[in-house]
Structure formats: C-alpha cells, structure tokens
C-alpha cells in the first residue's frame, strides 16, 4: 500500500499505548471515537501506531475490524491470557489468540498505514513493523513490509512483556532470527515514533498533522496478596517494577513529543483515577474490573469530546 495525503490535507494519526489488560480503557475511548467519526477507523486514520496491547487493538483496526468486534475478542480472551501464573502458559495463550485473530495474514492485509512497536532484545533498539515503504527512514531498496513477518508474529513480539511473557523470536525475510521483547521497553507511548514517520518519512507538513494519542489510564497500585500466597508475594514486586517502568517510559515519551512536536495539533486521552476501587495493573483478569475500565474510557472521551471532534472532523 502507498499512503497519500487525504483530500482535505489533514493527515490523521491514531497512537495507542501499551498496558496489557488495561487496553479495555482504550477500547472505551475508541468506541466513542468510532461513533463520532461514523465509520471504520481504518478509513478515518492515515496512520495507526500501537505498542503491546495497543498493537493488538491497532492492528485489528487496521485490517477493518470494528471496536465492538475487538471488545468482544478482548472480553473472551484477555482473562484467559492474563490469568495463568507461568510465563510459558501466558505466552502460549497469547500466541493462540494472535493466530486465531490474524491467521497467516501479512502486512499487505492492512487498509491504512501502521506501526507495531517491538524491542530488539539483543541490540537494545526499537524494531517497528510497518506496511508502507513510505515509512522507511533508510534502506528503502531492501524494505519488506513487516520484515516479512506475519501480523500475528509482530503483535506477539510487541506484547512480549518479559518476565511475565517469554520473548518472541521471529525470522525476517532476510533470513535473520531476531529475539524481540515488549515494545513498551522502548516506547510504551508510540506517538513520537508515529509523528516522526509523518514528518520525516512521509514528508507531511507539520501543520497538516492531527494526532489522537490514547493511553490506558493511570490507576492506584493493587494491594498486596494475602500472606499465605507466597508465590504471588514473590512476583508482586516484579509486576510493580514493570508497571512503573512502563509508566515512566510513557510520560517520558509524551514529554519529549511536546518538546519536539509541540506545534502539531494533538489530543492526549489518559485520565488518572485515584479511587481505591480503581486499583489495577496490566495483568488484570477480572472481567468486572475490566468492564469498569472500559466505562471509564467512554467517560474520558466525554472530557475531550469537543477537542477530538475539532481535531479529526
């Protein structure tokens, strides 16, 4: 596919943060965005970027799925993926989900520009799966959409939140075996990368770019497990450390975006919820709580409705 500047000269970007099960919040926001724009979001955005859970949602949007379809898949599968204790079990469930959704589709299946952020574990650098050669920042002659990988492989890589999931090894079209970790380690908020593609690769005038950046919400830390659950107590600090790492990364990327691209029209939706009953983390698997996160996402849209409408319509 080749991305062209839309007729109204507005280049619309949708950027979706990582955050595991908290992606239910993202889906709540997107439900309202989709209704406001009146059609599939792959037809409304010129570039969709996603990290981790944002990569799953973003890729499904890019192949034409509705927000309701994505929510139903999340409702069915997220508890199953997040509930197992062992990383091997979580990883197996994630792989099953990715293959079930995307089958063996490759990057020629997407209907708009896309960026799926993962982390090259050995080189400690970003690895971003893209469909359009127009997004290349170099080595254009050897560009292969998605490095030759499937959508399922790219999404699994972006979601490989080590140590709770095993890292993902992919084989590229060049024959290289590359070990990948969660995209949140380099850009849990991928909006900076998305804008860089628009400005530097696509050569879109900054005044023509409209960025909608959606997070997963900010919540209190869950209370510790009962003392009898020694295994859980042993893992809890790791959950909190990963959560803190991703949140720091998210805020750092947002601060840097404001410094470098503060002139670009942007709406950022990522509300904070301080109530104790909202305590959760990226491994949440209680559907009741996840439904509340989705409701809070819809509420958050209402806080920004006029700004989002002015940005995108």
């Amino acid at each position: 596919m080749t991305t062209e500047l839309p007729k109204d000269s507005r280049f619309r970007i949708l950027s979706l943060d990582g955050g595991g099960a908290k992606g239910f919040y993202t889906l709540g926001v997107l439900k309202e965005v989709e209704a406001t724009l009146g059609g599939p979001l792959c037809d409304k955005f010129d570039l969709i970027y996603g990290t981790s859970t944002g990569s799953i949602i973003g890729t499904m949007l890019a192949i034409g799925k509705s927000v309701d379809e994505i929510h139903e898949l999340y409702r069915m599968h997220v508890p199953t993926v997040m509930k197992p204790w062992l990383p091997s079990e979580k990883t197996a469930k994630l792989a099953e989900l990715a293959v079930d959704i995307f089958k063996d589709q490759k990057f020629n299946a997407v209907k708009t520009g896309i960026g799926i952020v993962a982390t090259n574990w050995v080189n400690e650098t970003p690895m971003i799966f893209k469909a359009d050669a127009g997004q290349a920042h170099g080595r254009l002659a050897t560009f292969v959409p998605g490095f030759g990988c499937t959508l399922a492989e790219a999404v699994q890589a972006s979601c490989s939140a080590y140590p709770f999931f095993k890292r993902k090894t992919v084989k590229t079209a060049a024959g290289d075996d590359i070990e990948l970790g969660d995209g949140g380690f380099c850009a849990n908020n991928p909006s900076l990368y998305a804008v860089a593609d628009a400005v530097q690769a696509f050569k879109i005038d900054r005044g023509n770019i409209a960025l909608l950046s959606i997070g997963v919400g900010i919540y209190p830390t869950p209370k510790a497990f009962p003392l009898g659950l020694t295994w859980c107590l042993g893992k809890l600090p790791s959950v909190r450390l990963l959560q803190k790492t991703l949140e720091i990364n998210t805020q750092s990327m947002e601060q840097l975006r404001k410094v470098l691209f503060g002139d670009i029209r942007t709406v950022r939706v990522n509300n904070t919820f301080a109530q104790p009953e909202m305590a959760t983390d990226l491994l949440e698997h209680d559907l009741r709580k996840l439904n509340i996160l989705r409701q809070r996402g819809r509420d958050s849209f209402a806080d920004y409705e006029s700004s989002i409408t002015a940005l995108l319509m």
Side-chain angles (χ1 to χ4, degrees):
M1 59 164 291
T2 300
T3 297
E4 298 179 355
L5 191 64
K7 293 180 180 179
D8 64 2
S9 297
R10 191 175 304 185
F11 188 88
R12 298 172 179 85
I13 300 173
L14 177 63
S15 174
L16 306 176
D17 286 14
K22 294 182 295 181
F24 274 80
Y25 173 90
T26 308
L27 290 172
V29 180
L30 289 172
K31 171 65 176 177
E32 300 297 333
V33 172
E34 183 183 65
T36 298
L37 297 180
L41 294 184
C42 64
D43 295 336
K44 307 301 180 180
F45 288 93
D46 303 288
L47 181 61
I48 299 176
Y49 249 75
T51 294
S52 198
T53 194
S55 77
I56 302 177
I57 297 170
T59 304
M60 284 196 276
L61 291 175
I63 63 174
K65 288 191 180 294
S66 70
V67 176
D68 280 346
E69 289 176 305
I70 300 170
H71 172 244
E72 181 61 20
L73 287 166
Y74 260 56
R75 191 188 64 79
M76 291 172 57
H77 294 289
V78 166
T80 304
V81 172
M82 294 302 182
K83 192 170 184 178
W85 285 359
L86 295 177
S88 58
E89 292 183 28
K90 277 186 167 64
T91 303
K93 294 294 184 183
L94 174 63
E96 290 174 11
L97 171 60
V99 173
D100 181 55
I101 294 172
F102 300 110
K103 306 296 189 288
D104 60 352
Q105 292 182 97
K106 291 199 171 183
F107 279 74
N108 59 358
V110 301
K111 300 178 180 181
T112 189
I114 193 169
I116 299 174
V117 182
T119 301
N120 186 316
W121 197 258
V122 175
N123 291 348
E124 300 174 344
T125 57
M127 180 168 174
I128 306 176
F129 295 83
K130 305 176 181 181
D132 192 335
Q135 291 171 262
H137 292 264
R139 294 190 288 185
L140 183 60
T142 57
F143 178 88
V144 177
F147 302 101
C149 298
T150 65
L151 294 175
E153 290 172 327
V155 164
Q156 288 176 67
S158 185
C159 295
S160 296
Y162 183 82
F164 301 101
F165 291 83
K166 296 174 67 177
R167 296 186 292 274
K168 174 71 176 177
T169 298
V170 300
K171 182 178 286 293
T172 69
D176 299 323
D177 292 317
I178 302 179
E179 186 180 17
L180 298 171
D182 193 286
F185 291 121
C186 58
N188 200 54
N189 169 359
S191 59
L192 183 64
Y193 290 175
V195 173
D197 272 9
V199 173
Q200 298 296 332
F202 285 134
K203 306 299 183 185
I204 305 297
D205 185 272
R206 294 161 81 112
N208 291 331
I209 297 172
L211 168 65
L212 176 58
S213 175
I214 303 176
V216 295
I218 301 171
Y219 309 91
T221 302
K223 294 181 180 179
F225 291 100
L227 291 176
L229 299 178
T230 55
W231 187 92
C232 291
L233 280 173
K235 299 301 289 187
L236 187 60
S238 297
V239 177
R240 289 179 174 170
L241 177 59
L242 178 59
Q243 187 78 39
K244 180 63 70 174
T245 299
L246 296 179
E247 288 174 356
I248 291 171
N249 179 289
T250 297
Q251 300 305 324
S252 297
M253 295 297 284
E254 178 63 8
Q255 186 177 42
L256 188 57
R257 182 199 61 77
K258 290 178 179 178
V259 171
L260 296 177
F261 300 112
D263 58 320
I264 289 176
R265 290 174 294 175
T266 300
V267 176
R268 169 77 173 162
V269 183
N270 191 43
N271 286 8
T272 298
F273 303 92
Q275 304 91 332
E277 62 270 19
M278 291 299 297
T280 191
D281 60 32
L282 75 166
L283 300 180
E284 183 66 65
H285 54 266
D286 181 346
L287 268 176
R288 181 192 61 82
K289 175 63 70 64
L290 295 173
N291 184 53
I292 292 173
L293 299 189
R294 182 170 179 263
Q295 293 174 44
R296 296 294 82 79
R298 298 184 74 174
D299 294 341
S300 293
F301 171 86
D303 294 338
Y304 297 90
E305 183 170 4
S306 59
S307 297
I308 291 173
T309 302
L311 179 77
L312 301 175
M313 296 186 70

